[in-house]
Structures are given as structure tokens and as C-alpha cells.
């Protein structure tokens, strides 16, 4: 199966989007894509989320839209049915992992401990979300995992900022980071899509080249 890190390998940041009004989904996605961030994670935290995924999948073909905060097998089915091309969970259970595997789309199960990482590697999963990144140990923690567990790759999410993102992206075991800083609440409230595009463009330039990546 294709890894999520292969869907848009040039995109260093995955915007983590909470959409309250599905009518905002298409212009928001277009702004993010125009800014160089085609991978878009729509969190399943609002009643509008599935309609937003569907709208982006149908209306913004340049975007690679996925669903985040997936916490149940039913959520997996709903998200894929709406057009999600990848799935992200804050954690995982055997049942949730099985449903994500069976979905046929790339997925990132969430981890925050070494034991969780090892358990996923035992099950043949090497692409993971590290969450909550800053609270769980941040860059030093992930750096310490690269030696004993070099096969695991992560998308750190949770407290990542423009200031900390380059340090994460410089790690050999990080494929991208997730963040919300390019989606300030006041810009979303005022539907200032040009500002979102500008912030997305700044975020898309954050990747730090690493030899051998």
C-alpha cells in the first residue's frame, strides 16, 4: 500500500483543518493548494466535516484530502465514503487499525510511546503520527528513536509551530509535520483566503533538505 508520505512528498506540512461550515471547504482548500500544501487533513470534529471532505474531493482535484481524528471503524467507513484519500488517528486499537488497513487508503495511526511504535512495527506499519508532539517529548524524543527504530517514520502533530517545524523536518525519521498555524481563527472567520494562501506558502518553504532522504 502507498504510504501517506508518498502522496505528496514535496509538501512538508499537512494543514490540520477544523471546518464549521462546509461552504468554506472548497475556497479554503484552493487557498492551501495555491500556497503549496496539497495534503489537507479535515478533522472529524464537527458536523460539517464529512460534507467538507466530500466538497474538497469533488471540487478541488489538485488537493489530496484526508480525514483526521478518526477514532472508530464507523468513522473510517464514513470518511472513505466521503472521498478521504488518507486517514489519521490520534491513537490506535486493534479494531481501529484493522479498519484502517481494510479501507484501502494510506493511514497514520497515532503514537506517543516507544511501546506503541514497536507494536505497530510488529504489525507491519511503519508510518505513524506522533501526537501530541510537543507534549510527548518533541524533537529530542523523535531524535532518540531514530537510532533503535530507524524504520519508523513520523508526522509530528500537536503544538508544532513555524519556529519548531524546521527542527522536526530536519530529522531523518520525519516525513512531514501537521499544523494549524496557517489557519488562524480570525482569517477563517473573515474568510480571508488570501491570507491563508500566504501563510501556506510560507509553510511550504519550511522543508530542510536532509542527505539521503
Amino acid at each position: 500500500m502507498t504510504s501517506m508520505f508518498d502522496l505528496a512528498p514535496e509538501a512538508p506540512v499537512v494543514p490540520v483543518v477544523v471546518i464549521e461550515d462546509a461552504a468554506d471547504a472548497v475556497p479554503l482548500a484552493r487557498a492551501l493548494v495555491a500556497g503549496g500544501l496539497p495534503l489537507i487533513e479535515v478533522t472529524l470534529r464537527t458536523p460539517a466535516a464529512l460534507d467538507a471532505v466530500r466538497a474538497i474531493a469533488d471540487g478541488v482535484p489538485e488537493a489530496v484530502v484526508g480525514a483526521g481524528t478518526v477514532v472508530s471503524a464507523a468513522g473510517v467507513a464514513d470518511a472513505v465514503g466521503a472521498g478521504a484519500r488518507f486517514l489519521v488517528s490520534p491513537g490506535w486499537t486493534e479494531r481501529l487499525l484493522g479498519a484502517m488497513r481494510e479501507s484501502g487508503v494510506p493511514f497514520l495511526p497515532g503514537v506517543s510511546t516507544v511501546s506503541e511504535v514497536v507494536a505497530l512495527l510488529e504489525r507491519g506499519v511503519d508510518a505513524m503520527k506522533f501526537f501530541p508532539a510537543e507534549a510527548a517529548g518533541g524533537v529530542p524524543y523523535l531524535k532518540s528513536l531514530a537510532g533503535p527504530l530507524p524504520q519508523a517514520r513520523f508526522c509530528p502533530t500537536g503544538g508544532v509551530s513555524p519556529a519548531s517545524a524546521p527542527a522536526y523536518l530536519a530529522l531523518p525519521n520525519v516525513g512531514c509535520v501537521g499544523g494549524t498555524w496557517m489557519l488562524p481563527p480570525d482569517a477563517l472567520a473573515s474568510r480571508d483566503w488570501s491570507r491563508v494562501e500566504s501563510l501556506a506558502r510560507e509553510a511550504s518553504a519550511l522543508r530542510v533538505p536532509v542527505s539521503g532522504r
Side-chain angles (χ1 to χ4, degrees), residues 53-85:
V53 170
R54 190 173 294 107
I56 296 170
D58 292 342
V60 192
E62 320 91 276
V64 181
V65 64
T69 320
V70 178
V71 295
S72 68
V76 169
D78 290 343
V80 174
R85 294 172 58 186

mmCIF file of all heavy atoms in Angstrom, residues 53-85:
data_model
loop_
_atom_site.group_PDB
_atom_site.id
_atom_site.type_symbol
_atom_site.label_atom_id
_atom_site.label_comp_id
_atom_site.label_asym_id
_atom_site.label_seq_id
_atom_site.Cartn_x
_atom_site.Cartn_y
_atom_site.Cartn_z
ATOM 1 N N VAL A 53 -15.130 17.167 3.516
ATOM 2 C CA VAL A 53 -14.274 16.205 2.798
ATOM 3 C C VAL A 53 -14.845 15.945 1.412
ATOM 4 O O VAL A 53 -14.126 15.963 0.406
ATOM 5 C CB VAL A 53 -14.156 14.886 3.592
ATOM 6 C CG1 VAL A 53 -13.473 13.808 2.747
ATOM 7 C CG2 VAL A 53 -13.388 15.098 4.891
ATOM 8 N N ARG A 54 -16.134 15.704 1.358
ATOM 9 C CA ARG A 54 -16.799 15.417 0.072
ATOM 10 C C ARG A 54 -16.666 16.604 -0.886
ATOM 11 O O ARG A 54 -16.377 16.422 -2.080
ATOM 12 C CB ARG A 54 -18.265 15.081 0.332
ATOM 13 C CG ARG A 54 -19.014 14.540 -0.861
ATOM 14 C CD ARG A 54 -20.411 14.076 -0.465
ATOM 15 N NE ARG A 54 -20.368 12.919 0.430
ATOM 16 C CZ ARG A 54 -20.650 12.953 1.727
ATOM 17 N NH1 ARG A 54 -20.991 14.097 2.310
ATOM 18 N NH2 ARG A 54 -20.594 11.864 2.451
ATOM 19 N N ALA A 55 -16.855 17.810 -0.373
ATOM 20 C CA ALA A 55 -16.775 19.000 -1.223
ATOM 21 C C ALA A 55 -15.376 19.190 -1.785
ATOM 22 O O ALA A 55 -15.207 19.520 -2.967
ATOM 23 C CB ALA A 55 -17.198 20.232 -0.423
ATOM 24 N N ILE A 56 -14.355 18.971 -0.957
ATOM 25 C CA ILE A 56 -12.979 19.123 -1.429
ATOM 26 C C ILE A 56 -12.634 18.038 -2.435
ATOM 27 O O ILE A 56 -12.019 18.292 -3.477
ATOM 28 C CB ILE A 56 -11.994 19.114 -0.245
ATOM 29 C CG1 ILE A 56 -12.235 20.331 0.660
ATOM 30 C CG2 ILE A 56 -10.550 19.105 -0.740
ATOM 31 C CD1 ILE A 56 -11.476 20.287 1.974
ATOM 32 N N ALA A 57 -13.040 16.795 -2.135
ATOM 33 C CA ALA A 57 -12.762 15.689 -3.056
ATOM 34 C C ALA A 57 -13.386 15.933 -4.422
ATOM 35 O O ALA A 57 -12.794 15.631 -5.459
ATOM 36 C CB ALA A 57 -13.270 14.377 -2.457
ATOM 37 N N ASP A 58 -14.588 16.497 -4.430
ATOM 38 C CA ASP A 58 -15.302 16.732 -5.688
ATOM 39 C C ASP A 58 -14.875 18.025 -6.388
ATOM 40 O O ASP A 58 -14.842 18.076 -7.619
ATOM 41 C CB ASP A 58 -16.810 16.798 -5.429
ATOM 42 C CG ASP A 58 -17.402 15.466 -4.999
ATOM 43 O OD1 ASP A 58 -16.741 14.429 -5.222
ATOM 44 O OD2 ASP A 58 -18.508 15.475 -4.430
ATOM 45 N N GLY A 59 -14.552 19.050 -5.602
ATOM 46 C CA GLY A 59 -14.355 20.374 -6.175
ATOM 47 C C GLY A 59 -12.935 20.850 -6.313
ATOM 48 O O GLY A 59 -12.677 21.850 -7.002
ATOM 49 N N VAL A 60 -11.981 20.162 -5.662
ATOM 50 C CA VAL A 60 -10.575 20.597 -5.716
ATOM 51 C C VAL A 60 -9.708 19.377 -6.025
ATOM 52 O O VAL A 60 -9.076 18.799 -5.134
ATOM 53 C CB VAL A 60 -10.132 21.262 -4.396
ATOM 54 C CG1 VAL A 60 -8.784 21.977 -4.577
ATOM 55 C CG2 VAL A 60 -11.172 22.248 -3.890
ATOM 56 N N PRO A 61 -9.692 18.947 -7.289
ATOM 57 C CA PRO A 61 -8.965 17.722 -7.631
ATOM 58 C C PRO A 61 -7.468 17.802 -7.377
ATOM 59 O O PRO A 61 -6.810 16.760 -7.225
ATOM 60 C CB PRO A 61 -9.261 17.546 -9.127
ATOM 61 C CG PRO A 61 -9.673 18.896 -9.612
ATOM 62 C CD PRO A 61 -10.363 19.546 -8.458
ATOM 63 N N GLU A 62 -6.915 19.019 -7.301
ATOM 64 C CA GLU A 62 -5.480 19.151 -7.026
ATOM 65 C C GLU A 62 -5.151 18.848 -5.573
ATOM 66 O O GLU A 62 -3.985 18.622 -5.236
ATOM 67 C CB GLU A 62 -5.002 20.568 -7.350
ATOM 68 C CG GLU A 62 -5.599 21.187 -8.598
ATOM 69 C CD GLU A 62 -6.858 21.977 -8.274
ATOM 70 O OE1 GLU A 62 -7.936 21.366 -8.202
ATOM 71 O OE2 GLU A 62 -6.758 23.208 -8.079
ATOM 72 N N ALA A 63 -6.133 18.864 -4.712
ATOM 73 C CA ALA A 63 -5.917 18.590 -3.295
ATOM 74 C C ALA A 63 -5.928 17.089 -3.035
ATOM 75 O O ALA A 63 -6.591 16.321 -3.739
ATOM 76 C CB ALA A 63 -6.999 19.258 -2.453
ATOM 77 N N VAL A 64 -5.179 16.694 -2.025
ATOM 78 C CA VAL A 64 -5.228 15.315 -1.525
ATOM 79 C C VAL A 64 -5.867 15.411 -0.152
ATOM 80 O O VAL A 64 -5.201 15.688 0.847
ATOM 81 C CB VAL A 64 -3.822 14.693 -1.440
ATOM 82 C CG1 VAL A 64 -3.916 13.248 -0.949
ATOM 83 C CG2 VAL A 64 -3.116 14.754 -2.787
ATOM 84 N N VAL A 65 -7.185 15.223 -0.118
ATOM 85 C CA VAL A 65 -7.918 15.439 1.120
ATOM 86 C C VAL A 65 -8.008 14.155 1.922
ATOM 87 O O VAL A 65 -8.222 13.069 1.381
ATOM 88 C CB VAL A 65 -9.332 16.015 0.851
ATOM 89 C CG1 VAL A 65 -10.203 15.029 0.076
ATOM 90 C CG2 VAL A 65 -10.008 16.426 2.147
ATOM 91 N N GLY A 66 -7.801 14.286 3.230
ATOM 92 C CA GLY A 66 -7.917 13.150 4.130
ATOM 93 C C GLY A 66 -8.755 13.514 5.330
ATOM 94 O O GLY A 66 -9.194 14.657 5.485
ATOM 95 N N ALA A 67 -8.963 12.541 6.187
ATOM 96 C CA ALA A 67 -9.755 12.741 7.397
ATOM 97 C C ALA A 67 -8.892 12.482 8.620
ATOM 98 O O ALA A 67 -8.147 11.496 8.674
ATOM 99 C CB ALA A 67 -10.967 11.810 7.416
ATOM 100 N N GLY A 68 -8.981 13.397 9.588
ATOM 101 C CA GLY A 68 -8.264 13.228 10.838
ATOM 102 C C GLY A 68 -9.217 13.039 11.999
ATOM 103 O O GLY A 68 -10.439 13.095 11.832
ATOM 104 N N THR A 69 -8.655 12.791 13.171
ATOM 105 C CA THR A 69 -9.439 12.477 14.369
ATOM 106 C C THR A 69 -10.378 11.301 14.080
ATOM 107 O O THR A 69 -11.545 11.300 14.473
ATOM 108 C CB THR A 69 -10.222 13.700 14.881
ATOM 109 O OG1 THR A 69 -9.429 14.888 14.769
ATOM 110 C CG2 THR A 69 -10.570 13.528 16.367
ATOM 111 N N VAL A 70 -9.849 10.318 13.364
ATOM 112 C CA VAL A 70 -10.606 9.095 13.091
ATOM 113 C C VAL A 70 -10.409 8.161 14.279
ATOM 114 O O VAL A 70 -9.289 7.756 14.574
ATOM 115 C CB VAL A 70 -10.119 8.426 11.794
ATOM 116 C CG1 VAL A 70 -10.881 7.131 11.536
ATOM 117 C CG2 VAL A 70 -10.267 9.373 10.609
ATOM 118 N N VAL A 71 -11.483 7.835 14.980
ATOM 119 C CA VAL A 71 -11.353 7.077 16.226
ATOM 120 C C VAL A 71 -12.216 5.821 16.264
ATOM 121 O O VAL A 71 -12.296 5.163 17.298
ATOM 122 C CB VAL A 71 -11.684 7.963 17.451
ATOM 123 C CG1 VAL A 71 -10.668 9.080 17.584
ATOM 124 C CG2 VAL A 71 -13.095 8.527 17.362
ATOM 125 N N SER A 72 -12.851 5.470 15.147
ATOM 126 C CA SER A 72 -13.704 4.278 15.145
ATOM 127 C C SER A 72 -13.756 3.686 13.752
ATOM 128 O O SER A 72 -13.458 4.359 12.752
ATOM 129 C CB SER A 72 -15.127 4.636 15.583
ATOM 130 O OG SER A 72 -15.768 5.452 14.606
ATOM 131 N N ALA A 73 -14.154 2.413 13.690
ATOM 132 C CA ALA A 73 -14.322 1.765 12.390
ATOM 133 C C ALA A 73 -15.403 2.456 11.576
ATOM 134 O O ALA A 73 -15.285 2.593 10.353
ATOM 135 C CB ALA A 73 -14.660 0.290 12.595
ATOM 136 N N ALA A 74 -16.459 2.913 12.234
ATOM 137 C CA ALA A 74 -17.516 3.638 11.537
ATOM 138 C C ALA A 74 -16.975 4.934 10.948
ATOM 139 O O ALA A 74 -17.329 5.323 9.831
ATOM 140 C CB ALA A 74 -18.673 3.929 12.486
ATOM 141 N N GLY A 75 -16.109 5.603 11.686
ATOM 142 C CA GLY A 75 -15.501 6.831 11.188
ATOM 143 C C GLY A 75 -14.640 6.583 9.970
ATOM 144 O O GLY A 75 -14.615 7.398 9.036
ATOM 145 N N VAL A 76 -13.942 5.451 9.953
ATOM 146 C CA VAL A 76 -13.153 5.075 8.780
ATOM 147 C C VAL A 76 -14.050 4.937 7.564
ATOM 148 O O VAL A 76 -13.790 5.503 6.493
ATOM 149 C CB VAL A 76 -12.396 3.757 9.033
ATOM 150 C CG1 VAL A 76 -11.791 3.232 7.732
ATOM 151 C CG2 VAL A 76 -11.310 3.944 10.088
ATOM 152 N N ALA A 77 -15.129 4.185 7.719
ATOM 153 C CA ALA A 77 -16.049 3.948 6.601
ATOM 154 C C ALA A 77 -16.678 5.248 6.113
ATOM 155 O O ALA A 77 -16.783 5.488 4.907
ATOM 156 C CB ALA A 77 -17.128 2.954 7.021
ATOM 157 N N ASP A 78 -17.096 6.081 7.044
ATOM 158 C CA ASP A 78 -17.721 7.354 6.664
ATOM 159 C C ASP A 78 -16.737 8.243 5.910
ATOM 160 O O ASP A 78 -17.101 8.884 4.910
ATOM 161 C CB ASP A 78 -18.233 8.083 7.906
ATOM 162 C CG ASP A 78 -19.440 7.406 8.532
ATOM 163 O OD1 ASP A 78 -20.084 6.583 7.861
ATOM 164 O OD2 ASP A 78 -19.726 7.719 9.711
ATOM 165 N N ALA A 79 -15.503 8.309 6.397
ATOM 166 C CA ALA A 79 -14.509 9.184 5.785
ATOM 167 C C ALA A 79 -14.160 8.725 4.374
ATOM 168 O O ALA A 79 -14.114 9.534 3.440
ATOM 169 C CB ALA A 79 -13.253 9.237 6.646
ATOM 170 N N VAL A 80 -13.914 7.438 4.214
ATOM 171 C CA VAL A 80 -13.576 6.921 2.886
ATOM 172 C C VAL A 80 -14.764 7.065 1.940
ATOM 173 O O VAL A 80 -14.611 7.414 0.764
ATOM 174 C CB VAL A 80 -13.106 5.463 2.983
ATOM 175 C CG1 VAL A 80 -12.893 4.866 1.596
ATOM 176 C CG2 VAL A 80 -11.813 5.375 3.795
ATOM 177 N N GLY A 81 -15.968 6.856 2.465
ATOM 178 C CA GLY A 81 -17.159 7.035 1.648
ATOM 179 C C GLY A 81 -17.338 8.467 1.173
ATOM 180 O O GLY A 81 -17.912 8.714 0.100
ATOM 181 N N ALA A 82 -16.840 9.418 1.961
ATOM 182 C CA ALA A 82 -16.940 10.831 1.592
ATOM 183 C C ALA A 82 -15.849 11.261 0.627
ATOM 184 O O ALA A 82 -15.886 12.380 0.107
ATOM 185 C CB ALA A 82 -16.899 11.702 2.839
ATOM 186 N N GLY A 83 -14.860 10.383 0.409
ATOM 187 C CA GLY A 83 -13.797 10.707 -0.534
ATOM 188 C C GLY A 83 -12.435 10.923 0.073
ATOM 189 O O GLY A 83 -11.511 11.359 -0.629
ATOM 190 N N ALA A 84 -12.260 10.625 1.367
ATOM 191 C CA ALA A 84 -10.955 10.794 2.002
ATOM 192 C C ALA A 84 -9.928 9.877 1.345
ATOM 193 O O ALA A 84 -10.175 8.691 1.158
ATOM 194 C CB ALA A 84 -11.044 10.500 3.487
ATOM 195 N N ARG A 85 -8.769 10.436 1.046
ATOM 196 C CA ARG A 85 -7.701 9.668 0.402
ATOM 197 C C ARG A 85 -6.611 9.239 1.370
ATOM 198 O O ARG A 85 -5.670 8.548 1.000
ATOM 199 C CB ARG A 85 -7.104 10.484 -0.742
ATOM 200 C CG ARG A 85 -8.106 10.694 -1.865
ATOM 201 C CD ARG A 85 -7.616 11.663 -2.925
ATOM 202 N NE ARG A 85 -6.363 11.247 -3.531
ATOM 203 C CZ ARG A 85 -5.678 11.987 -4.409
ATOM 204 N NH1 ARG A 85 -6.145 13.178 -4.759
ATOM 205 N NH2 ARG A 85 -4.544 11.545 -4.920
#
